[in-house]
Amino acid sequence: MKKIDLIYALISSTLILILTYCSAQPTVRYEEKDKKPSDTVNETEIKKEPLKYDEKFDITPFRTVINLPEKKVEISNASNEIWYQYNVKESASNRTKKIKGTTNGFRVQVIATDDLDEANKIQEELKAIKGSNEIYSVFEPPFYKILLGDFKTSDEANSLRFKLNQLGYADSKVVKSTINLFE
């Protein structure tokens, strides 16, 4: 019995010692906040002139030049075969029809950019390939978005997105949008 009591006393005293040693103690960093600058710094150091920095620093030698290859689409070689099973006659007739309303649907977002010139360039390329119908340019700050089509189902929009990916518009994606309904 005495060995167990001795072991128990030894373990409990060690545990108490560890807990008291590891308890939170204020450190020097908390005490330094309350001190005045005159307590920590000699008065002779305070009277010295502050360091002067050269404000004529030129950063231009350190700038990185990034050259990105331009995405080129040959419009003259674009074939209408890519639009197989895309009802071109119906979309051409939509040009003359009036909009009778709007509903929720899907469109294909070809690009979202903050450069208006790039958005206009893509829009002109798409007009040359597909025709001017169903190409929408939308400004949602800070981006200009080029959207194609008025689709009631996402499957129809995914078909167009796939065709655009084949033409080199890899950033194309299907987005939910308010679409136009024609007479």
Side-chain angles (χ1 to χ4, degrees):
M1 277 310 252
K2 290 192 176 197
K3 284 186 178 181
I4 294 176
D5 290 339
L6 185 60
I7 292 173
Y8 179 71
L10 185 62
I11 291 174
S12 62
S13 63
T14 306
L15 195 61
I16 290 171
L17 183 64
I18 290 173
L19 290 176
T20 56
Y21 181 74
C22 295
S23 64
Q25 297 177 359
T27 60
V28 176
R29 65 180 174 168
Y30 297 113
E31 294 171 6
E32 288 180 354
K33 288 182 182 177
D34 297 335
K35 290 184 180 179
K36 296 178 183 176
S38 61
D39 295 342
T40 58
V41 181
N42 296 336
E43 289 182 27
T44 57
E45 292 178 10
I46 293 175
K47 293 179 182 177
K48 290 182 181 177
E49 288 186 32
L51 295 174
K52 294 185 179 180
Y53 298 102
D54 184 18
E55 295 181 11
K56 297 178 183 176
F57 181 75
D58 184 21
I59 196 164
T60 52
F62 301 103
R63 289 192 178 152
T64 304
V65 177
I66 300 174
N67 296 321
L68 298 176
E70 287 191 29
K71 182 181 9 174
K72 295 181 181 178
V73 176
E74 295 181 19
I75 296 174
S76 61
N77 294 339
S79 172
N80 285 336
E81 294 176 12
I82 198 74
W83 303 108
Y84 176 72
Q85 291 183 344
Y86 181 72
N87 199 347
V88 177
K89 291 179 184 175
E90 181 183 322
S91 60
S93 66
N94 286 346
R95 213 177 293 163
T96 59
K97 292 185 177 182
K98 293 182 180 179
I99 298 173
K100 68 177 182 180
T102 59
T103 186
N104 292 332
F106 300 92
R107 288 185 175 157
V108 179
Q109 178 179 309
V110 179
I111 190 171
T113 181
D114 58 351
D115 185 10
L116 180 60
D117 293 331
E118 182 181 6
N120 287 335
K121 178 183 166 194
I122 298 293
Q123 187 173 8
E124 291 302 317
E125 288 175 3
L126 292 172
K127 282 181 183 178
I129 294 171
K130 186 187 174 299
S132 63
N133 191 33
E134 297 180 359
I135 299 175
Y136 303 98
S137 179
V138 178
F139 178 64
E140 292 177 5
F143 297 109
Y144 297 94
K145 297 180 179 181
I146 304 299
L147 304 168
L148 275 172
D150 291 307
F151 301 104
K152 292 182 181 177
T153 65
S154 63
D155 291 337
E156 295 171 348
N158 274 319
S159 173
L160 178 60
R161 182 197 56 81
F162 178 75
K163 293 169 185 171
L164 287 169
N165 281 340
Q166 289 177 338
L167 286 173
Y169 299 100
D171 295 334
S172 302
K173 64 181 180 179
V174 175
V175 294
K176 289 184 179 180
S177 182
T178 303
I179 63 170
N180 297 323
L181 296 175
F182 297 96
E183 290 181 342

